[in-house]
Amino acid sequence: MKYRLQAILFVFVAFMLGCNEYMIVGVLPDIAHQYHDSLSKLGLLVTVFALVYAICTPLITSLANRWKRHRVLLVLMVIFFIGNTWTALATNFISMLLSRILTASVAGAIISLVLVMASFVAPREKRASLVSWVFAGFSIASVVGIPIGTIISHTLTWHDSFWMITGLTIIVFVLLVWLVPRDTPQVKSSFNKQFVLLKDVRVLLGVCFIVCVCAADYSIYTYIRPLITDGMGFDYSWLNWLLFGMGIFFIIGNKFGGYLADRGGVHKLWSIYATMTVLYLAFASVLTLKWVAIVLIALLCIAFSCYGSSTQLMFLDIAEKEYPQSLDLASSLNSIFANIGISLGSFTASQAVGFTAMKNLGYVGAVYGAIATVLVLILHRQYQGMKEF
């Protein structure tokens, strides 16, 4: 019974973090309107958040290795609460930027610690399923959190959208005090010894692959609201329903990713991302055919979210067998390099929106998708005998 409650809580933590990270996409036009700034400039909030997330996560995760995980997690939750509340109160671009930096600095370490705890509390045969559900928590944030946040922003103000997350943070903190495991085994090590994990060629191939997949994702997701309304021509009344539908397909992709993780893992991914590349090329050509374009978006959502369980379990397995001192760092690699990819993709998208037609975002995504396909194909061919990965 306690395992089930812990599993639900871990998904809830991911949901809360997903709302905080992704909701900005839905309310970006409203923030731009209040601050009298361009969408291109406000898109930097996504880029900077992702960059700070990527830089701070490995540092905090590695430094926190010397203290009990559950205590570190609760301290990070308090910092997250302060950062998100600051965002809700922000009245100008600089204040908003600083608040997002503070929140981003701890968000990655929070989900990394949760993933490590999940891997210990789950029976081994259920690890892939639980990990896929934790990643699905972010997708559930897309299904429920982003549309609700967008509705709140449209009917009240975007500030109230972030107040909603502050309320969720309080609930999550109370549940963590009650349910978080306090006895997960730790191998304490020096800061430098933990980073030896990043010399492993399997890990390097895996993280570069993640960067490219997430860059492809955010080459369109950063501007998904104007892309749907201005690029495809949908009426605003359709927006929340379409965002809701995208979230559903993200969840489908996460669960399909868990299925793949149990049946070959990274060895099965190259065909998914080859298909994603083709879909991107098609998307750029059919953007004005709005219903065809939205079907392609749905398929792309599934492809975007397939990799998480396979790469997460690969990193954890490598660390458990060869670098036990790096287990916490291994748990954070997905988050770290996903956000490097998000930063790269959102920056590229901001340039494309500023200087080229919106449809060219599809071509940008196709480039990243092609590189991701090549990387995971190399990983597949080099490690064909490693069935557990």
Side-chain angles (χ1 to χ4, degrees), residues 266-316:
V266 295
H267 298 294
K268 301 290 187 180
L269 293 181
W270 68 269
S271 58
I272 299 292
Y273 294 98
T275 303
M276 184 187 78
T277 303
V278 174
L279 291 174
Y280 258 122
L281 290 172
F283 176 76
S285 303
V286 302
L287 181 61
T288 55
L289 302 174
K290 59 183 182 182
W291 287 109
V292 176
I294 209 67
V295 168
L296 292 184
I297 286 283
L299 295 174
L300 284 169
C301 288
I302 294 174
F304 292 151
S305 48
C306 276
Y307 74 88
S309 297
S310 294
T311 52
Q312 183 70 32
L313 291 178
M314 182 185 77
F315 294 145
L316 288 174

Coordinates of all heavy atoms in Angstrom, one line a residue, residues 266-316:
V266 N 16.9 1.2 -25.7 CA 17.5 2.1 -26.7 C 17.7 1.4 -28.1 O 17.8 2.1 -29.1 CB 18.8 2.7 -26.2 CG1 18.6 3.6 -25.0 CG2 19.8 1.6 -25.9
H267 N 17.7 0.1 -28.1 CA 17.9 -0.6 -29.4 C 16.7 -0.5 -30.3 O 16.8 -0.7 -31.5 CB 18.1 -2.1 -29.1 CG 19.4 -2.4 -28.3 ND1 20.6 -2.1 -28.8 CD2 19.6 -2.9 -27.1 CE1 21.6 -2.4 -27.9 NE2 20.9 -2.9 -26.8
K268 N 15.5 -0.1 -29.7 CA 14.3 0.1 -30.5 C 14.0 1.5 -30.9 O 13.0 1.7 -31.6 CB 13.1 -0.5 -29.6 CG 13.2 -1.9 -29.2 CD 13.1 -2.9 -30.4 CE 13.0 -4.3 -29.9 NZ 12.9 -5.3 -31.0
L269 N 14.8 2.5 -30.5 CA 14.5 3.9 -30.6 C 14.8 4.5 -32.0 O 14.2 5.5 -32.4 CB 15.1 4.7 -29.5 CG 14.7 4.4 -28.1 CD1 15.4 5.4 -27.1 CD2 13.2 4.6 -27.9
W270 N 15.8 3.9 -32.7 CA 16.2 4.6 -33.9 C 15.1 4.7 -34.9 O 15.0 5.8 -35.6 CB 17.4 3.9 -34.5 CG 17.1 2.5 -35.1 CD1 17.2 1.3 -34.5 CD2 16.7 2.2 -36.5 NE1 16.8 0.3 -35.3 CE2 16.5 0.8 -36.6 CE3 16.4 3.0 -37.6 CZ2 16.1 0.2 -37.7 CZ3 16.0 2.4 -38.7 CH2 15.8 1.0 -38.8
S271 N 14.2 3.7 -35.1 CA 13.1 3.8 -36.0 C 12.1 4.9 -35.7 O 11.5 5.5 -36.5 CB 12.5 2.4 -36.2 OG 11.9 2.0 -35.0
I272 N 11.9 5.1 -34.3 CA 11.0 6.1 -33.9 C 11.4 7.5 -34.3 O 10.6 8.3 -34.8 CB 10.9 6.1 -32.3 CG1 10.4 4.7 -31.8 CG2 10.0 7.2 -31.8 CD1 8.9 4.4 -32.2
Y273 N 12.7 7.7 -34.2 CA 13.2 9.1 -34.5 C 13.5 9.3 -35.9 O 13.5 10.4 -36.4 CB 14.4 9.4 -33.5 CG 13.8 9.5 -32.1 CD1 13.9 8.4 -31.3 CD2 13.1 10.6 -31.7 CE1 13.3 8.4 -30.0 CE2 12.4 10.6 -30.5 CZ 12.5 9.5 -29.7 OH 11.9 9.6 -28.4
A274 N 13.7 8.2 -36.7 CA 13.7 8.4 -38.2 C 12.3 8.8 -38.6 O 12.2 9.7 -39.5 CB 14.2 7.0 -38.8
T275 N 11.3 8.2 -38.1 CA 9.9 8.5 -38.4 C 9.6 10.0 -38.0 O 9.0 10.7 -38.8 CB 8.9 7.6 -37.7 OG1 9.2 6.2 -38.1 CG2 7.5 7.9 -38.1
M276 N 10.1 10.4 -36.8 CA 9.9 11.7 -36.4 C 10.5 12.7 -37.3 O 9.9 13.8 -37.6 CB 10.5 11.9 -35.0 CG 10.3 13.3 -34.4 SD 11.2 13.6 -32.8 CE 12.8 14.0 -33.5
T277 N 11.7 12.5 -37.9 CA 12.3 13.4 -38.8 C 11.4 13.5 -40.1 O 11.2 14.7 -40.6 CB 13.7 12.8 -39.2 OG1 14.5 12.7 -38.0 CG2 14.4 13.8 -40.2
V278 N 10.9 12.4 -40.6 CA 10.0 12.5 -41.8 C 8.8 13.3 -41.4 O 8.3 14.1 -42.3 CB 9.6 11.1 -42.2 CG1 8.6 11.1 -43.3 CG2 10.9 10.3 -42.7
L279 N 8.2 13.1 -40.2 CA 7.0 13.8 -39.9 C 7.3 15.3 -39.8 O 6.4 16.2 -40.2 CB 6.5 13.3 -38.5 CG 5.9 11.9 -38.4 CD1 5.6 11.5 -37.0 CD2 4.7 11.8 -39.3
Y280 N 8.4 15.7 -39.3 CA 8.8 17.1 -39.3 C 8.9 17.7 -40.7 O 8.4 18.9 -40.9 CB 10.1 17.3 -38.6 CG 10.0 17.8 -37.2 CD1 10.5 17.1 -36.1 CD2 9.4 19.0 -36.9 CE1 10.4 17.5 -34.8 CE2 9.2 19.5 -35.6 CZ 9.8 18.7 -34.5 OH 9.7 19.2 -33.2
L281 N 9.5 17.0 -41.6 CA 9.5 17.5 -43.0 C 8.1 17.7 -43.5 O 7.9 18.7 -44.2 CB 10.4 16.5 -43.8 CG 11.9 16.5 -43.5 CD1 12.5 15.4 -44.3 CD2 12.5 17.8 -43.9
A282 N 7.3 16.7 -43.3 CA 5.9 16.8 -43.8 C 5.2 18.0 -43.1 O 4.4 18.7 -43.8 CB 5.2 15.5 -43.5
F283 N 5.4 18.2 -41.8 CA 4.7 19.2 -41.1 C 5.0 20.6 -41.7 O 4.1 21.5 -41.8 CB 5.2 19.2 -39.6 CG 4.6 20.3 -38.8 CD1 3.3 20.3 -38.4 CD2 5.4 21.4 -38.4 CE1 2.7 21.3 -37.6 CE2 4.9 22.4 -37.6 CZ 3.5 22.4 -37.2
A284 N 6.3 20.8 -42.0 CA 6.6 22.1 -42.6 C 5.9 22.4 -43.9 O 5.6 23.5 -44.3 CB 8.1 22.2 -42.9
S285 N 5.5 21.3 -44.6 CA 4.9 21.5 -45.9 C 3.4 21.6 -45.8 O 2.7 22.1 -46.8 CB 5.2 20.2 -46.8 OG 6.6 20.1 -47.0
V286 N 2.8 21.1 -44.7 CA 1.3 21.1 -44.7 C 0.8 22.0 -43.5 O -0.4 21.8 -43.1 CB 0.8 19.6 -44.5 CG1 1.2 18.7 -45.6 CG2 1.2 19.1 -43.1
L287 N 1.5 22.9 -43.1 CA 1.2 23.8 -41.9 C -0.2 24.4 -42.1 O -1.0 24.5 -41.2 CB 2.2 24.8 -41.6 CG 2.0 25.7 -40.4 CD1 1.9 24.9 -39.2 CD2 3.1 26.8 -40.3
T288 N -0.5 24.9 -43.3 CA -1.7 25.6 -43.6 C -2.9 24.7 -43.7 O -4.1 25.1 -43.7 CB -1.6 26.5 -44.9 OG1 -1.2 25.6 -46.0 CG2 -0.6 27.6 -44.7
L289 N -2.7 23.4 -43.9 CA -3.8 22.4 -43.9 C -3.9 22.0 -42.4 O -3.4 21.0 -42.0 CB -3.4 21.2 -44.8 CG -3.1 21.5 -46.2 CD1 -2.6 20.2 -46.9 CD2 -4.3 22.1 -46.9
K290 N -4.7 22.8 -41.7 CA -4.6 22.7 -40.2 C -5.0 21.4 -39.6 O -4.3 21.0 -38.6 CB -5.5 23.8 -39.6 CG -7.0 23.7 -40.0 CD -7.7 24.9 -39.4 CE -9.2 24.9 -39.6 NZ -9.9 26.1 -39.1
W291 N -5.9 20.6 -40.2 CA -6.2 19.3 -39.6 C -5.2 18.3 -39.9 O -4.9 17.4 -39.0 CB -7.6 18.9 -40.0 CG -8.7 19.7 -39.3 CD1 -9.5 20.6 -39.9 CD2 -9.0 19.7 -38.0 NE1 -10.4 21.2 -39.0 CE2 -10.1 20.6 -37.8 CE3 -8.6 19.0 -36.9 CZ2 -10.7 20.8 -36.5 CZ3 -9.2 19.2 -35.6 CH2 -10.2 20.1 -35.5
V292 N -4.6 18.4 -41.0 CA -3.5 17.5 -41.3 C -2.3 17.8 -40.4 O -1.7 16.9 -39.8 CB -3.1 17.6 -42.8 CG1 -1.8 16.7 -43.1 CG2 -4.2 17.2 -43.7
A293 N -2.0 19.1 -40.3 CA -0.9 19.5 -39.4 C -1.1 19.1 -38.0 O -0.2 18.7 -37.3 CB -0.8 21.0 -39.5
I294 N -2.4 19.1 -37.5 CA -2.6 18.8 -36.1 C -2.5 17.3 -35.8 O -2.0 16.8 -34.8 CB -3.9 19.3 -35.6 CG1 -3.9 19.6 -34.0 CG2 -5.1 18.4 -35.9 CD1 -3.0 20.7 -33.7
V295 N -2.8 16.5 -36.9 CA -2.6 15.0 -36.8 C -1.1 14.7 -36.7 O -0.6 13.9 -35.9 CB -3.2 14.3 -38.0 CG1 -2.7 12.9 -38.0 CG2 -4.7 14.4 -37.9
L296 N -0.3 15.5 -37.5 CA 1.2 15.3 -37.4 C 1.7 15.7 -36.1 O 2.6 15.1 -35.5 CB 1.8 16.1 -38.6 CG 1.6 15.6 -40.0 CD1 2.4 16.4 -41.0 CD2 1.9 14.1 -40.2
I297 N 1.2 16.8 -35.5 CA 1.6 17.2 -34.2 C 1.3 16.1 -33.1 O 2.1 15.8 -32.3 CB 0.8 18.5 -33.7 CG1 1.4 19.7 -34.5 CG2 0.9 18.7 -32.2 CD1 2.7 20.2 -34.0
A298 N 0.2 15.4 -33.2 CA -0.2 14.3 -32.3 C 0.9 13.2 -32.4 O 1.3 12.7 -31.4 CB -1.6 13.8 -32.6
L299 N 1.2 12.8 -33.6 CA 2.2 11.8 -33.8 C 3.6 12.2 -33.3 O 4.3 11.4 -32.8 CB 2.3 11.4 -35.3 CG 1.0 10.8 -35.9 CD1 1.2 10.6 -37.4 CD2 0.7 9.4 -35.2
L300 N 3.9 13.5 -33.5 CA 5.2 14.0 -33.0 C 5.2 14.0 -31.5 O 6.3 13.7 -30.9 CB 5.4 15.4 -33.5 CG 5.8 15.6 -35.0 CD1 5.7 17.0 -35.5 CD2 7.2 15.0 -35.2
C301 N 4.1 14.2 -30.9 CA 4.1 14.2 -29.4 C 4.4 12.8 -28.9 O 5.1 12.6 -27.9 CB 2.7 14.6 -28.9 SG 2.3 16.4 -29.1
I302 N 3.9 11.8 -29.6 CA 4.2 10.4 -29.2 C 5.7 10.1 -29.3 O 6.4 9.6 -28.4 CB 3.4 9.4 -30.0 CG1 1.9 9.5 -29.7 CG2 3.9 8.0 -29.8 CD1 1.0 8.7 -30.6
A303 N 6.3 10.6 -30.5 CA 7.7 10.3 -30.7 C 8.6 11.1 -29.7 O 9.6 10.6 -29.2 CB 8.0 10.8 -32.2
F304 N 8.2 12.3 -29.4 CA 9.0 13.1 -28.5 C 9.2 12.4 -27.2 O 10.3 12.5 -26.6 CB 8.3 14.5 -28.2 CG 8.2 15.4 -29.3 CD1 7.2 16.3 -29.4 CD2 9.2 15.5 -30.3 CE1 7.1 17.2 -30.4 CE2 9.1 16.4 -31.4 CZ 8.0 17.2 -31.4
S305 N 8.2 11.8 -26.7 CA 8.2 11.3 -25.3 C 8.5 9.8 -25.1 O 8.4 9.2 -24.1 CB 6.8 11.6 -24.6 OG 5.8 11.2 -25.5
C306 N 9.0 9.2 -26.2 CA 9.3 7.7 -26.2 C 10.6 7.4 -25.5 O 10.8 6.3 -25.1 CB 9.3 7.1 -27.6 SG 7.7 6.7 -28.2
Y307 N 11.6 8.3 -25.5 CA 12.9 8.0 -25.1 C 13.2 7.8 -23.6 O 14.1 7.1 -23.2 CB 13.9 9.0 -25.7 CG 13.9 10.3 -24.9 CD1 14.7 10.5 -23.8 CD2 13.0 11.3 -25.3 CE1 14.6 11.7 -23.1 CE2 13.0 12.5 -24.6 CZ 13.8 12.7 -23.5 OH 13.7 13.9 -22.8
G308 N 12.4 8.5 -22.8 CA 12.7 8.8 -21.4 C 13.0 7.5 -20.6 O 14.0 7.4 -19.9
S309 N 12.1 6.5 -20.6 CA 12.3 5.3 -19.8 C 13.5 4.6 -20.2 O 14.3 4.1 -19.4 CB 11.0 4.5 -19.9 OG 9.9 5.1 -19.4
S310 N 13.7 4.4 -21.5 CA 14.8 3.6 -22.0 C 16.2 4.2 -21.6 O 17.1 3.6 -21.1 CB 14.8 3.5 -23.5 OG 13.6 2.7 -23.9
T311 N 16.3 5.6 -21.8 CA 17.6 6.2 -21.5 C 17.8 6.3 -20.0 O 18.9 6.1 -19.5 CB 17.7 7.6 -22.1 OG1 16.5 8.4 -21.8 CG2 17.8 7.5 -23.6
Q312 N 16.7 6.6 -19.2 CA 16.8 6.6 -17.8 C 17.3 5.3 -17.2 O 18.2 5.3 -16.4 CB 15.5 7.0 -17.2 CG 15.6 7.2 -15.7 CD 16.4 8.4 -15.2 OE1 16.4 9.4 -16.0 NE2 17.0 8.4 -14.1
L313 N 16.7 4.2 -17.6 CA 17.1 2.9 -17.1 C 18.5 2.5 -17.6 O 19.3 1.9 -16.8 CB 16.1 1.8 -17.5 CG 14.7 2.0 -16.9 CD1 13.8 0.9 -17.4 CD2 14.8 1.9 -15.3
M314 N 18.9 2.9 -18.8 CA 20.2 2.7 -19.3 C 21.3 3.4 -18.4 O 22.2 2.8 -17.9 CB 20.4 3.1 -20.7 CG 21.8 2.8 -21.3 SD 22.1 3.5 -22.9 CE 22.3 5.2 -22.6
F315 N 21.0 4.6 -18.1 CA 22.0 5.4 -17.2 C 22.0 4.8 -15.8 O 23.1 4.7 -15.3 CB 21.5 6.9 -17.1 CG 21.6 7.6 -18.4 CD1 20.7 8.6 -18.7 CD2 22.6 7.4 -19.4 CE1 20.7 9.3 -19.9 CE2 22.6 8.1 -20.6 CZ 21.7 9.1 -20.8
L316 N 20.9 4.4 -15.3 CA 20.9 3.9 -13.9 C 21.6 2.5 -13.9 O 22.3 2.2 -12.9 CB 19.4 3.7 -13.4 CG 18.7 5.1 -13.0 CD1 17.3 4.8 -12.7 CD2 19.4 5.8 -11.9

